Amino acid sequence: MNKLDSAATGEHNVNFRQIGKARTRTDSPGKVFGKTPYAGDYVMPDMLHARVLRAKVPSARMTRLDVSKARALPGVAAVLTFKDLKIGTVATDIPGQTGFKRRATDQQILVDELVRYQGEPIAIVAAETVEIAQHALSLIEVDLEPVPGVYNVFDAQKPDAPKVFGTDNLVASYKVRKGDVEVGFAAADVIVENTFTTQYIEHAFLEPEVGLGWEDEQGVINIRSSTQAVETFRYIADAMGLPHSKVRIRGALVGGGFGGKCDVTVELYIALLTKATGRPVRLGYSREDSFYGHGKRHPFIINHKTGFTRDGKITASKIDITSESGPYAFMSPYVLMYATEAGPGPYLVDHVHIDSRSIATNNMYTSAFRGFGATQACIAYEQQMDEAAKVLGIDRIELRRRNLLKTGDAIATGFKVQSAVWTEECMDRAMAALGEKPKDKGAIRYGHGLAAYQQGYGRMIWLHDTAEGWVGVEMDGTVLVRSGMTDIGAGQTSSLAQIAGELLGIDMMDITVYNSDSSTTPLAGTSSASRGLYMSGNAVRLAAEAVRDRLAARAAKHFGSTADDVDFANAQVFLKSDPRQTMPFKELVAVCASEGIHRAELAIFRAPFGDWIDPETGQGQVHPDYTYGAHAVQVAVDTETGEVTILKSIGAHDIGQAVNMAAVEGQIEGGVAQGHGYALSEELIYKDGYLVTPSLSEYLCPTSMDSPRIECIVLESRSGLGPFGAKGIGEPGHTPAAPAVANAVADAIGTRVFDFPLTPEKIANAVRKARKAG
Amino acid sequence: MANRKMLTLAVNDTVRNVDVATNETLLETLRRVGAVEVKCGCEKGDCGACAVLLDGMAVDSCLTLTHTVGARAITTIKGLGNAEAPHPIQTAFAERGAAQCGYCTPGMIIATQSMLNNDTDTPDEADIRQALSGNLCRCTGYTKIYDAVLESAKVMRDTAAAGEMESVK
């Protein structure tokens, strides 16, 4: 599998009619004509408007809370505080997973006594208008007495540190012990040690969190919200003391997620206020609310100590990882697991020793963000490889080449990768596409950088992941797909239409997909973890295949052939052996309908199930499979001002099999732009727990002025676990982009900034320091 | 309470009488009267999701007070075209994969039309990057948006040239 075969890489789409091609997505027309309703576009008669009162300080004891004036304000329908809650807490775990139950990781819904981060909700208000709700917030009297907080992971680990979480501020910790790292270091000629740090990052999806709730005639609380996870209905029901069947979440097409809409946000407040008032309630976050109201990407501190032989073979890798979780657990333990598993990167290392921990502070809580910890790991291991190459005097690409994992090799956790590992091909193609480095001009220095990576796709196998999908054919021959999968803009629903269309011979644009309704579409899990296409694509494939098999059996009877010989294309059914023998698909369907042949199927796809890795050695299987690739970047750095211009940015990835090539490229290109911002400009700055960048003019996402045309090189090994051999690409496209930029900047200026983001100030200072030293 | 005014607004060739507060933004008014294709991303002029055309020029509707609009024609993405009569920019955005989550798309398409109306009908990539710099996109990395804008500008030039040829005949 590891050997490139030209038929698989050179010629796309050889076996498919729709799969693999760059197709206009089924959701595109609605979006370009302004017809797509987003969650915030729905209104209902008699609807109330909600607002959230947030703590203005990061660490305090609430000594008084008086909402009487707010409740008395005309037009206010409800003001809820912790005293009004039947159950005070809500789960922060992955919704719907069954393999394993965490303890003591719930979050208080509204501040009871202690404020643990700036922006923590204290009260929620529903009123006739947004203005009245806003006015009501200003009438709520709160006394917050500051208590000592802890605002960095170093202080939080001291014995006398204020306790934010548990008895020691330790949210999670892991170990990996593969081989014997002392033996490995003894065999080393050179040991390279460095520490890399990363910053808090905001998702900055364009659509802030929003939803509308109402109670229906069956007493079910319905919530239409902008979410990556309709399965949070369970947590909302639990938090309200309701049966799970009495809470329903319907999504809408989502205005961006990137992991930031996986946790419960507006939904629970909407549900509580709907229940309290008996009226529909809409809650739309302002942009500022969004900055304060959902978990961020974790800052990490990663130390690498790596042993090499003189000719560049890694002999040992000792890695120490600390992430900042903020005051609540949310996804922090899992994110740390990803970072730990990915510790040494896509390299074969016999002796690995990793210690990792996630530490609570009173800064903002952290949770899922595209890449889920494997991204931060990549920022560290790929900068470490470049630093090592410099010390060893070996070409950076060559050093990687000498250490790359191959199919069948054991990663850090001992798991032997079964699918194709085409990292080398991806590196070579990405570097070749960069071309020659321009000659330096005065203060302008040019740099090339590369980063390779390993990113798991699908959930960790002890979470026992499943997805259901339904495919059915109407009596007129039109095809419906039902899937609980949320569509967060990556073309999730469109790809399901393409898969069903491929198998049933119907054009994807003629297929209708209903999705993301926790009560009426089969549950499929969150759109996260690069699992959407992998899991739901497989479920819909299984369902479509079952329907196709039944239709084919009836067609075989009609043609007097075997079912194997029947094929479906262009809304026709025909014989492979004799394509002149044909009948319209809808005629076959009409026959099946008249004979009571079942034209629909509900299928379930189960990912590989397994147990938690060994807690002492960290050995075992974490992910079902991995995506591999590399990213290359060319930058120009103004050494006087420290300003970086990205000139070329090229992602090369083996994605197994594209379903919609345009959507694959879109995932890579968008992930890369987020990587550019990660490396250079984006940073949520917390000063003693206070966010000082709560707007899009202070938190700097890349604009078009910052963004070069991004190039994609897409390889298809057809070796993945997704439909038709697909691997996940939602996160992988993003993972190597930021370290590739960092390596290009270091190449340009001849020294490295170890602390993300690489702002002009840090770069200019590093240049000056290097000049003084040199 | 803010003062209120009765105004006549021309939205996508439909004239509407609306009662607005004098501190009401055009974004609030448009969404209130049902033009929810205009998206709210930040209410501070940082993201461009709410852009509409005023007499062919893109403005952030969140930074425009409704009572200042006067007789200027307001055009939203729905005013440019629809499935039966698509505008070339809409077609190019759909076919080139320039819309992912689609939340920035109305503003992006409006900003593109404004550039083609007011700045240049033969944009190169630098012109496009400048013209769209007030519109954030978090999904696409802009690459497919550049492609879509280049293509739509070409289609519109070709159509205009064909029209001129036709009138010469």
Side-chain angles (χ1 to χ4, degrees), chain B residues 4-18:
Chain B
R4 301 195 71 84
K5 273 189 175 180
M6 199 63 182
L7 302 177
T8 303
L9 295 180
V11 185
N12 297 337
D13 297 332
T14 302
V15 176
R16 291 167 182 271
N17 294 316
V18 288

Side-chain angles (χ1 to χ4, degrees), chain B residues 26-76:
Chain B
L26 184 57
L27 171 62
E28 291 169 324
T29 308
L30 288 171
R31 287 190 62 85
R32 184 160 61 81
V33 301
V36 293
E37 69 273 22
V38 183
K39 297 303 179 206
C40 174
C42 70
E43 296 177 284
K44 286 184 174 176
D46 291 336
C47 77
C50 67
V52 298
L53 296 173
L54 286 187
D55 278 352
M57 177 81 85
V59 299
D60 285 339
S61 63
C62 72
L63 297 183
T64 305
L65 291 175
T66 309
H67 78 87
T68 67
V69 170
R72 286 178 287 177
I74 302 164
T75 309
T76 74

Side-chain angles (χ1 to χ4, degrees), chain A residues 508-589:
Chain A
M508 60 188 277
M509 295 307 267
D510 294 330
I511 292 179
T512 301
V513 182
Y514 288 99
N515 79 308
S516 75
D517 182 327
S518 70
S519 292
T520 64
T521 55
L523 293 176
T526 56
S527 286
S528 65
S530 302
R531 67 180 285 290
L533 182 86
Y534 160 46
M535 297 296 296
S536 289
N538 269 328
V540 166
R541 174 184 61 81
L542 291 170
E545 283 172 353
V547 171
R548 176 192 163 113
D549 285 350
R550 287 197 283 271
L551 298 184
R554 182 61 187 83
K557 211 160 118 187
H558 169 82
F559 290 124
S561 68
T562 61
D564 291 351
D565 196 23
V566 176
D567 204 356
F568 296 73
N570 305 316
Q572 296 288 321
V573 187
F574 57 94
L575 292 183
K576 288 175 205 158
S577 59
D578 181 8
R580 288 166 307 174
Q581 293 225 50
T582 173
M583 78 187 288
F585 181 76
K586 66 188 218 182
E587 278 181 25
L588 172 62
V589 170

